[in-house]
Amino acid sequence: MDTSSTIKRLLGEYEQMRANNRREERMREQKARDKSTEIARLLGERRELLTRSMRQAFAGKGADTQMLTGQIEIMNRDIREALEREGFPQDYLQPIYRCPVCRDTGYVGEPIHELCVCVKQRIMDEENRSERKGGLGAHSFEQFDLSVFPDEPIPGRKASQREHMRRIERAARRYAEDFPETTRPNLIFYGAAGLGKTFVADCIASRVMDRAFLVRRVTAYRMAEIMRKYQFDGSEGKAAEDLQTCDLLFIDDLGTEPQTKSTSSYLFQIINERNNNGLHTIISTNIRKEQLAALYGERVASRLLDVSRTTTIEFYGRDLRLAPGT
């Protein structure tokens, strides 16, 4: 998604919103005037007072600001009381806007303008909507069905697959609800194929997106492709930036990407940048954690497995994609 185009379009919507608000304000004032001669008189007197004070200011005659403020407050009180007597809400003639911070201008701050939080939220919502169309967030904790996991004891394990997944579900829910104030920012899900690693990570992603954070999911293969193109000719710049700056990055199937001389450096660049900026990353892989150093080198493995930042969770049991008994 082109964020600059999104911002331009949203600011156009805000301009139209302000025009609609002004039109509604004029309609409300006319309705109140038509219903009550008292309200019409009070509004006229307030307007005359403000006009007179502006003329004095332009003529270089200093007005008593404290006295003017007191007079306006008394008039506003009288107008509110008159509105209530005529069956209108007391705030019926107040300025109309959705965002009390920017008053629907889309900007805050003087003299340097920056986008209001309401615009940033809209941008994030639209980007997350785009991600959902791509499949991210297709699963949720409401779909978590522990009954699909076998409950028989597993030799050499302290818990059955079902009980183990119950513990994983609790940990995943806690991570999603605490985000971004999690105990550790990073998760590594490892284990054989078909055990639910991607499903659990997607449940987390869905909940985090619902809480208005920006999430990206990328396969390890696609991650390598993005970084290769970005470093080769500068293309995929937006995608490469997203990998390093989104609130939560989910790298799926680490270890399935082509292993070239640059693969480890791509992964190191992303993880190191995200760690340095305090951002959150989830990785799913079929590779056992003790094999990461052999595949990616000690430097990458130390970043991935830093116990101060990363929780590793093993998935084990029966491949749910295989029919029972196969």
Side-chain angles (χ1 to χ4, degrees), residues 62-92:
D64 187 331
T65 305
Q66 186 174 0
M67 180 181 294
L68 177 63
T69 301
Q71 290 175 318
I72 294 295
E73 287 180 353
I74 292 172
M75 285 185 171
N76 287 340
R77 181 201 63 199
D78 292 344
I79 290 170
R80 289 194 299 269
E81 291 175 352
L83 285 168
E84 190 171 32
R85 283 195 297 271
E86 295 295 338
F88 294 103
Q90 284 199 355
D91 62 352
Y92 188 67

Side-chain angles (χ1 to χ4, degrees), residues 162-190:
R162 182 179 301 175
E163 179 57 33
H164 186 56
M165 289 303 299
R166 181 178 286 109
R167 297 171 184 173
I168 288 176
E169 179 193 13
R170 285 199 296 265
R173 283 182 182 270
R174 186 165 58 250
Y175 180 95
E177 293 299 333
D178 291 348
F179 190 95
E181 304 300 325
T182 55
T183 303
R184 298 184 184 91
N186 302 333
L187 293 173
I188 293 182
F189 294 159
Y190 71 97

Side-chain angles (χ1 to χ4, degrees), residues 23-24 51 87 98 112 123 148 154 171-172 201 218-219 284:
R23 185 162 52 250
E24 176 65 21
T51 301
R98 295 184 185 178
I112 299 175
I123 294 169
V148 304
I154 299 177
V218 63
T219 63
S284 75

Side-chain angles (χ1 to χ4, degrees), residues 30 67 78 85 109 119-120 138 149 228 236 273 300 326:
Q30 189 60 52
M67 180 181 294
D78 292 344
R85 283 195 297 271
V119 178
K120 295 177 180 178
F149 300 99
R228 179 183 63 80
E236 297 279 17
E273 185 72 13
V300 175
T326 61

Side-chain angles (χ1 to χ4, degrees), residues 222-241 243-244 260-271 273 299:
R222 172 66 176 146
M223 176 193 68
E225 180 184 38
I226 289 170
M227 297 303 292
R228 179 183 63 80
K229 289 183 177 180
Y230 176 62
Q231 295 190 359
F232 179 70
D233 60 10
S235 62
E236 297 279 17
K238 179 61 168 63
E241 179 184 358
L243 294 181
Q244 297 176 72
T260 68
K261 292 181 180 179
S262 301
T263 300
S264 293
S265 65
Y266 296 156
L267 182 59
F268 179 84
Q269 179 179 339
I270 291 170
I271 298 301
E273 185 72 13
R299 187 175 68 151

